[in-house]
Amino acid sequence: MRVVNLQLENFGSYEKLEFSFDRGLILIQGPTGAGKSTLCDAIPWILFGKTAKGGAVDEVRSWAATEPTKGIVWLQDITVSRTRGAAKDNDLVFWPTGGEPTRGKDMADTQRLLNQRLGFDLSLYLAGAYYHEFSQTAQFFTASANVRRMICEQLVDLSLATKLTARLKDELRSLKKQQAESAENIAKHKTEVETCRRLEEEAKRNSKDWERLYTAEIKELTAKSKNFDAAKRSAIKKLQHESDAWADARKEEVKELNQAIATARADIRPDDELLYEERRLAEAKLLAGELTCPTCGGPAHPEERERLVRWEIQLDTKRRLSQQRTADVEKIERQLKQALSQINPFATRVTAEEARENTYDEQIASLKRQTNPHRARTAGYRANRLDASMELADAEASLVKIEGIVADYDVLSDITASYRSASIQYTIEAIQARTNALLAGYFDGEMRVEFSADDTNLDVSITKDGNEATYTQLSKGQRCMLKLCFGLSVMKTVAERHAVKFEQVFLDEALDGLDEAFKTKAYRMLEALALEHESVYVVEHSEGLKALFENKLTAELVDGRSQLCRS
Ligand SMILES: Nc1ncnc2c1ncn2[C@@H]1O[C@H](COP(=O)(O)OP(=O)(O)OP(=O)(O)O)[C@@H](O)[C@H]1O
Ligand SMILES: [Mg+2]
């Protein structure tokens, strides 16, 4: 990335600044609070909305200004403009040289699009182009082992591994879903196969039962048809016999009733006969009553009187019997009438039997027209079972296939993870080698570092003159030396690993803590750095070091506002 120009308005201590980037090693000097570091903040703020020290987007809005803060940076092939003020003024826009401006659906989206277009984010920019005592690389040696590992991971170009991991994760998620669906399908088809098999068995049993009943029925009807005439004759004969027996029984009954009537009638005396006898008895009684015994003066002829009493009793008995028999005759005559009115039930049955036709052949023909309904059902269930079995086989085959792919993807995931680890390891080794090379090349190699990393941690071991030393055992100047060599190694590694070289590099008071002699040594290193970048801006207070720089920028406050001038 090459920065060509910069324009600022109401940016921190700067009211207005137009700045073109020079080439070479350039000193930024000036008194405390003059605006040196503010200049270093301009690029990260315009590109990412943060200062180099991680300050929030509105931290650079000039305290005194009423107008919005604005920054425009012209890169080699793209221009970016950021404005902060009242909510309505806030804006971020970028456009390629001679092209149309791009804004996302909101600021965050524009930022995402810009990062995409640039090909790096804030942390990569700062690691590759900026160094001061609070920057992440400078904090590396005091950070915890896992934060150190994270810092290194940010420096590695893991885009392929990240892309692969994300794709594999997505694919595996989709495959796991398909796997679950296949397993569900298999269970469903197994149930279907089993259900169809049970129904098929049941239909087969029903079919057999139906055939058995059908055959038996045909057999029975055929036999009935064959025996029809003989059976009919025999039935008629039997019914005729019963009819005759019934008629005989009725005849006998009528005869008996007639006899009973005759017998009863024999005891019935006509009324005039009984009346005549009554009259004769009365006359006899009258005659016998006038006879008186001349001796005793009592009734004469007692035998006669006795005969008359008996006669009266007999007459009374005759009358009663006659009445009784008359009632009997009436009753028996009713019975007789009823008996005579009865119709012989067997006679109609005989007629019906005589008229009965042989319908068994028709029934047989009708039966023969029937088909076994269970056969079609059996065939239907069999077809369903076969379909379900095919689907089951397909689902099982698809599951095997998915499991195969999942296994392949698992292998690919392991390879990706190994590739990721190897990339990180390779980067760590490169940074280690560069740091030691800088320490050896510019600071007599009195210190060396060794990094060892696992999946989560990165440990550092330091040797000073061959002695193992902790970071805190090092002097302030030694720590400064170590951090600076590490920071510059990181810059180079970022350029190498990410194919994004930041041509403008800023070192803000990077040599603070070194004595004049070491500052001079460091200057040689900066000279070498300037050969690798278009411009290296160094903020420095040391008068001794300042004298070494040919190109100088001076920041100063005029009426409380920062101004820059080349000297
Ligand atoms: N939002 C702001 N508006 C106006 N001035 C600000 C704002 N934020 C910081 N300043 C001031 O801007 C000035 C420049 O700060 P800067 O950090 O650039 O100084 P410097 O030249 O780097 O000083 P030093 O050598 O001490 O690091 C300081 O006086 C600071 O207090
Ligand atoms: Mg400063």
Side-chain angles (χ1 to χ4, degrees):
M1 180 189 94
R2 175 174 294 115
V3 190
V4 184
N5 281 325
L6 187 71
Q7 196 175 295
L8 301 173
E9 278 174 40
N10 302 311
F11 188 85
S13 53
Y14 290 88
E15 189 179 12
K16 268 196 192 315
L17 178 71
E18 283 191 19
F19 186 75
S20 322
F21 286 83
D22 298 313
R23 286 175 176 260
L25 184 57
I26 302 133
L27 172 74
I28 306 177
Q29 60 182 354
T32 294
K36 303 180 292 295
S37 298
T38 307
L39 182 66
C40 303
D41 281 336
I43 297 171
W45 185 83
I46 298 170
L47 294 183
F48 303 105
K50 287 221 167 190
T51 67
K53 296 166 216 81
V57 66
D58 286 329
E59 272 189 23
V60 300
R61 288 182 61 192
S62 281
W63 294 327
T66 49
E67 293 300 303
T69 296
K70 191 169 181 181
I72 307 177
V73 65
W74 283 266
L75 306 181
Q76 192 177 13
D77 53 356
I78 178 176
T79 306
V80 183
S81 165
R82 186 182 296 271
T83 309
R84 295 296 296 185
K88 66 175 174 45
D89 301 317
N90 293 344
D91 189 27
L92 171 65
V93 58
F94 62 92
W95 58 93
T97 311
E100 291 298 309
T102 299
R103 284 185 179 87
K105 54 182 187 295
D106 54 26
M107 298 269 277
D109 193 39
T110 313
Q111 186 68 63
R112 187 183 59 77
L113 294 171
L114 175 59
N115 289 12
Q116 229 170 45
R117 177 72 173 76
L118 293 170
F120 53 89
D121 60 9
L122 174 69
S123 70
L124 197 73
Y125 169 74
L126 292 177
Y130 184 84
Y131 180 88
H132 76 131
E133 64 175 313
F134 301 113
S135 60
Q136 207 177 32
T137 44
Q139 302 287 312
F140 180 81
F141 291 95
T142 48
S144 63
N146 60 335
V147 171
R148 276 202 295 263
R149 161 85 192 193
M150 256 165 50
I151 292 171
C152 274
E153 280 189 25
Q154 286 170 12
L155 304 177
V156 185
D157 183 4
L158 291 173
S159 53
L160 177 62
T162 309
K163 216 184 277 176
L164 271 172
T165 307
R167 281 284 302 278
L168 284 169
K169 206 173 153 195
D170 286 352
E171 289 291 333
L172 272 169
R173 194 183 301 124
S174 143
L175 283 167
K176 295 275 175 200
K177 204 174 151 212
Q178 288 175 36
Q179 208 173 2
E181 281 168 6
S182 281
E184 218 173 87
N185 272 345
I186 288 172
K188 195 180 96 190
H189 294 316
K190 272 186 180 163
T191 311
E192 275 171 13
V193 169
E194 183 51 27
T195 307
C196 289
R197 194 195 57 71
R198 251 189 308 103
L199 290 169
E200 189 186 336
E201 290 300 317
E202 195 182 314
K204 261 189 205 166
R205 273 198 304 278
N206 289 340
S207 178
K208 271 187 192 158
D209 289 349
W210 190 92
E211 292 288 352
R212 205 174 40 251
L213 284 172
Y214 174 82
T215 312
E217 211 173 338
I218 294 273
K219 198 172 163 191
E220 190 187 331
L221 288 171
T222 308
K224 278 182 175 170
S225 176
K226 202 170 154 194
N227 298 331
F228 180 78
D229 292 334
K232 185 175 172 179
R233 274 196 305 278
S234 148
I236 291 171
K237 197 172 166 189
K238 192 175 163 226
L239 285 169
Q240 192 59 62
H241 182 72
E242 282 170 336
S243 173
D244 293 349
W246 188 89
D248 290 349
R250 289 290 76 68
K251 210 184 275 177
E252 190 59 31
E253 189 186 5
V254 168
K255 190 177 157 194
E256 279 171 8
L257 289 171
N258 280 329
Q259 270 175 6
I261 289 169
T263 311
R265 278 200 178 128
D267 291 331
I268 298 170
R269 290 285 168 268
D271 287 345
D272 50 352
E273 185 187 314
L274 290 172
L275 221 63
Y276 172 69
E277 199 172 338
E278 252 173 53
R279 231 179 285 133
R280 276 180 50 220
L281 176 63
E283 280 169 9
K285 268 185 182 175
L286 202 62
L287 201 66
E290 286 166 3
L291 297 172
T292 310
C293 178
T295 324
C296 66
H301 306 299
E303 304 83 17
E304 180 61 9
R305 283 179 187 271
E306 209 173 294
R307 188 187 71 84
L308 287 176
V309 168
R310 276 201 309 275
W311 186 6
E312 191 172 14
I313 290 169
Q314 280 171 356
L315 182 59
D316 190 47
T317 304
K318 268 186 204 166
R319 191 183 298 111
R320 281 176 194 277
L321 184 64
S322 189
Q323 279 170 354
Q324 177 61 48
R325 288 295 179 258
T326 304
D328 288 348
V329 166
E330 277 172 14
K331 189 179 162 197
I332 297 165
E333 276 177 348
R334 275 201 303 280
Q335 285 174 357
L336 181 63
K337 195 174 169 190
Q338 199 193 350
L340 288 170
S341 68
Q342 273 183 25
I343 294 165
N344 185 343
F346 297 98
T348 50
R349 285 177 63 189
V350 169
T351 316
E353 184 61 26
E354 281 169 346
R356 190 162 68 91
E357 297 274 342
N358 181 354
T359 59
Y360 296 119
D361 289 341
E362 263 173 46
Q363 287 181 46
I364 290 167
S366 153
L367 260 184
K368 282 187 175 167
R369 280 196 295 276
Q370 283 185 19
T371 49
N372 182 346
H374 303 289
R375 256 193 218 155
R377 264 177 226 145
T378 307
Y381 291 134
R382 186 180 304 122
N384 289 349
R385 178 170 60 79
L386 290 176
D387 284 352
S389 300
M390 297 280 275
E391 285 178 55
L392 175 61
D394 284 353
E396 281 172 341
S398 127
L399 183 61
V400 168
K401 194 173 157 195
I402 293 166
E403 281 170 347
I405 301 173
V406 167
D408 288 350
Y409 277 32
D410 282 341
V411 171
L412 203 53
S413 291
D414 291 347
I415 292 169
T416 308
S418 304
Y419 165 69
R420 195 171 185 277
S421 281
S423 300
I424 294 167
Q425 192 61 39
Y426 186 40
T427 304
I428 288 168
E429 281 167 15
I431 296 172
Q432 176 188 305
R434 281 208 175 97
T435 307
N436 286 330
L438 289 176
L439 286 167
Y442 296 99
F443 300 100
D444 309 329
E446 60 183 44
M447 285 185 297
R448 279 186 68 77
V449 286
E450 204 174 306
F451 302 137
S452 53
D454 60 23
D455 281 350
T456 47
N457 292 327
L458 193 155
D459 289 320
V460 180
S461 84
I462 304 166
T463 47
K464 163 80 177 71
D465 296 326
N467 301 307
E468 240 177 69
T470 61
Y471 181 72
T472 45
Q473 283 176 324
L474 301 178
S475 72
K476 185 180 174 188
Q478 287 161 349
R479 284 182 223 165
C480 167
M481 208 189 304
L482 183 58
K483 289 192 290 184
L484 182 62
C485 291
F486 177 78
L488 298 192
S489 299
V490 165
M491 281 181 187
K492 189 151 182 152
T493 308
V494 165
E496 191 181 273
R497 293 275 179 274
H498 288 267
V500 46
K501 187 171 167 211
F502 299 103
E503 292 295 355
Q504 279 65 42
V505 169
F506 297 83
L507 307 177
D508 190 352
E509 301 194 33
L511 311 183
D512 199 23
L514 296 181
D515 67 12
E516 290 300 315
F518 269 97
K519 282 195 179 182
T520 308
K521 288 180 183 180
Y523 182 76
R524 304 275 166 258
M525 188 169 71
L526 300 183
E527 276 181 325
L529 184 69
L531 294 177
E532 292 172 13
H533 297 267
E534 272 185 18
S535 40
V536 175
Y537 287 87
V538 181
V539 177
E540 182 55 52
H541 286 287
S542 152
E543 291 303 327
L545 193 65
K546 281 181 190 174
L548 298 174
F549 284 85
E550 280 179 25
N551 302 318
K552 292 176 190 168
L553 275 174
T554 306
E556 54 187 356
L557 286 173
V558 179
D559 298 332
R561 300 291 193 177
S562 291
Q563 284 189 357
L564 269 185
C565 62
R566 287 185 170 84
S567 49

